[in-house]
Amino acid sequence: CLPPQGRSWVASLDPVKMTDELGHPRRDLRRINPMEPALDDVGMILSVDPPGCMDIDDALSYKALPNGSHLVGVHIADVTHFIPRDSALDREAARRATSVYLQDRRLDMLPRLLCEDLCSLCPGVDRYAVSVIWELDKTGSVVK
């Protein structure tokens, strides 16, 4: 399941190869710059993991829209790119269910190569994520 390139693996920049495991095209969110908004810009993206965290796998995005609505996104590292359904690694991760954080160590659900590197949503590094983006009105109701 792990790529032979190890830590030197890079996400494909080829739009033909930028599909998820079901063949759906991925949306490229790498060009986000809150100082220079583009039409497809989702605004600023912030990690929700604490400082010093080695497995940055969750993020939120926010952008105020000119119509008064808000664009809000939730972004989760896409481990399914590396872990085929029902593989030995998938079954072991399901058995563990989560990473466990103890005072002096961490027991990872996935191999460190995945959770600390290839699936870690670090700034300036191309990574795959599963994202849900909503447009919310002033009251917080979903517009689309």
Side-chain angles (χ1 to χ4, degrees):
C1 297
L2 300 177
Q5 305 92 333
R7 293 192 184 279
S8 63
W9 177 87
V10 293
S12 174
L13 304 180
D14 180 347
V16 174
K17 294 179 182 175
M18 284 183 56
T19 58
D20 66 15
E21 68 282 358
L22 299 175
H24 300 124
R26 294 181 181 272
R27 183 173 172 196
D28 188 350
L29 301 178
R30 292 172 297 149
R31 293 170 289 146
I32 294 168
N33 180 348
M35 303 311 288
E36 298 175 17
L39 291 176
D40 64 347
D41 185 359
V42 296
M44 64 181 126
I45 296 181
L46 308 164
S47 169
V48 298
D49 294 299
C53 182
M54 300 299 289
D55 54 340
I56 304 169
D57 55 358
D58 310 298
L60 296 174
S61 62
Y62 173 80
K63 180 179 181 179
L65 298 175
N67 66 1
S69 292
H70 307 275
L71 206 58
V72 177
V74 174
H75 314 275
I76 309 294
D78 184 3
V79 299
T80 65
H81 180 77
F82 298 100
I83 303 175
R85 180 182 292 266
D86 204 36
S87 65
L89 188 53
D90 183 39
R91 290 189 301 275
E92 179 62 18
R95 187 186 70 76
R96 293 182 182 195
T98 188
S99 294
V100 177
Y101 296 85
L102 303 172
Q103 183 176 358
D104 62 338
R105 67 185 178 274
R106 185 177 82 222
L107 305 172
D108 294 316
M109 182 174 74
L110 299 171
R112 286 189 182 226
L113 176 63
L114 292 181
C115 63
E116 289 184 2
D117 192 346
L118 305 183
C119 295
S120 196
L121 304 176
C122 298
V125 180
D126 296 337
R127 292 295 183 246
Y128 293 138
V130 175
S131 300
V132 177
I133 302 169
W134 301 271
E135 182 179 338
L136 306 176
D137 66 16
K138 294 176 186 178
T139 68
S141 296
V142 175
V143 175
K144 61 179 170 178

